Amino acid sequence: MQTLAIVVSLAVTVVAVALTVRAVRAMLGVIKRGQPAPGRTGNPVGRTLTMLKETFGHTRMLQWTWIGILHWFAFAAFIALSTAVAAAYIQLFDPEFTIPVIGKWWVYEWVAELLGLLGTIAIIPLIAYRLTHKPSQLGRRSRFFGSTMWQAYFVEAMVLLESSAILFIRGAEYNLAKAHGGEAAEHADGFHFPVSQFFANLFPTGHDSVGTLENIIFFIAMVKIVSAMVWLMVISTNLTMGVAWHRFTAWFNIWFKRRRPAARPSARSSPSPPAASRSPSTTSTTSTRTRCSAPAPSGTSPGRTSSTSRPAPSAVAASRSAPPGTPRSRSRPS
């Protein structure tokens, strides 16, 4: 089992990394074709604070209350459990491996297991909400109108798989530590395995089950790696898959957005809003007033414009009654 897990995991990783590099290069190539956008790097401290607030605080998503709260747990699980995927590569060779320094620290263990549990629980209502608010049923009233639904279902399935996998592999690690005995068994208690100790009931126990438990860990580690790499391969071949790419691009989009977050106008100066921000009604009213206030040519009524100036009726009558030989004067636009 170990040899199969190593070969499959490394082979899929090579393909996924190659496709991801190609996708990132393609994105950067598109970005470089655009014109320079000056003013996107001013006030770096304010931009950084805004980015951290809007990402970790989920200020925009929380506008949808419970949906935003559930999405935060899925977001946090994606970040924290990425370390578990990295550790899975080492577990292919050493099933008892833990991350150095923090691997057996109770804070990390609690955060990893709670996020795994809450990420698993949170993604289920989000899947149900999407299934009950399909654009095919609600049309434009659905907040998913215009979305490619299979992409969202795929991402949600990956979140569910990765979030729950940490609990299953930790449950197998719990039983393996108990089976080895000694110092490892002393660490395997409810305090260090707060949630996964209950998942351990799904696996065999005892000293005779060491080999079986190691194979279970190899298998779950392979599943974690392969699912993560398949996720990368899918999004790498779908560059417009925003439901997945935003997990990487949101940080840059928020930091480089047009307005400087902490920039405030001084009390002395009150600059007028830019032309682009004016409403169409204000702009059209202003231009209409400007046209109407211009001096009207001779012989035209106020507010009426003419490309060719016409003489007044009195001037026409005077020219007709003038003696023969008198040159006629023509009205010229001033």
Side-chain angles (χ1 to χ4, degrees):
M1 183 65 208
Q2 182 180 20
T3 303
L4 176 64
I6 292 174
V7 172
V8 172
S9 299
L10 296 183
V12 174
T13 300
V14 170
V15 177
V17 170
L19 290 175
T20 304
V21 170
R22 188 187 68 172
V24 172
R25 293 182 62 181
M27 282 188 175
L28 294 177
V30 173
I31 294 173
K32 291 178 180 179
R33 294 178 185 176
Q35 296 181 354
R40 298 294 186 100
T41 57
N43 189 19
V45 175
R47 288 179 177 275
T48 303
L49 293 177
T50 299
M51 179 194 68
L52 296 176
K53 180 184 69 174
E54 293 188 10
T55 51
F56 289 103
H58 249 47
T59 53
R60 299 298 178 91
M61 282 297 301
L62 289 178
Q63 294 175 4
W64 289 289
T65 57
W66 68 271
I67 296 179
I69 295 174
L70 295 177
H71 190 277
W72 186 90
F73 286 112
F75 154 81
F78 176 82
I79 296 177
L81 298 182
S82 297
T83 59
V85 176
Y89 281 97
I90 310 300
Q91 286 182 306
L92 293 175
F93 302 92
D94 181 9
E96 300 179 47
F97 172 81
T98 56
I99 300 175
V101 181
I102 64 172
K104 292 185 178 181
W105 185 31
W106 70 270
V107 173
Y108 172 78
E109 293 172 329
W110 276 71
V111 169
E113 295 200 7
L114 289 179
L115 286 179
L117 176 64
L118 295 175
T120 302
I121 295 175
I123 200 63
I124 295 176
L126 293 179
I127 295 174
Y129 182 83
R130 190 179 295 275
L131 290 173
T132 54
H133 291 75
K134 293 180 179 180
S136 59
Q137 299 173 348
L138 302 178
R140 291 183 176 273
R141 291 186 293 114
S142 172
R143 64 182 299 263
F144 306 115
F145 182 81
S147 300
T148 306
M149 298 300 287
W150 74 263
Q151 296 179 353
Y153 294 142
F154 173 77
V155 171
E156 289 168 345
M158 290 298 103
V159 172
L160 177 62
L161 179 60
E162 291 290 345
S163 298
S164 58
I166 182 65
L167 301 176
F168 286 102
I169 198 169
R170 290 273 298 169
E173 292 172 2
Y174 176 86
N175 282 1
L176 182 61
K178 287 284 189 182
H180 279 302
E183 184 179 353
E186 294 178 1
H187 182 80
D189 54 24
F191 182 73
H192 291 280
F193 294 81
V195 179
S196 59
Q197 61 176 324
F198 302 103
F199 286 77
N201 296 324
L202 301 173
F203 307 119
T205 58
H207 181 73
D208 296 336
S209 60
V210 170
T212 303
L213 290 170
E214 289 180 347
N215 286 331
I216 292 174
I217 292 176
F218 294 145
F219 176 77
I220 298 177
M222 179 185 67
V223 170
K224 290 170 61 178
I225 294 171
V226 169
S227 60
M229 294 303 106
V230 168
W231 185 77
L232 279 179
M233 287 190 287
V234 171
I235 70 173
S236 296
T237 52
N238 294 272
L239 296 185
T240 58
M241 194 171 173
V243 70
W245 278 110
H246 79 279
R247 301 173 186 272
F248 303 105
T249 59
W251 313 88
F252 303 98
N253 290 337
I254 296 173
W255 203 95
F256 288 105
K257 64 182 179 179
R258 190 177 299 276
R259 292 185 178 182
R260 292 183 294 178
R264 295 182 178 179
S266 61
R268 297 180 180 179
S269 62
S270 55
S272 59
S277 64
R278 297 175 186 169
S279 62
S281 59
T282 305
T283 306
S284 61
T285 303
T286 305
S287 60
T288 303
R289 290 177 180 174
T290 304
R291 290 197 301 270
C292 293
S293 62
S298 175
T300 58
S301 60
R304 179 180 178 183
T305 60
S306 176
S307 59
T308 305
S309 178
R310 298 178 180 178
S314 60
V316 174
S319 63
R320 289 178 179 176
S321 61
T326 304
R328 296 182 181 181
S329 60
R330 297 181 178 179
S331 175
R332 299 178 179 178
S334 57

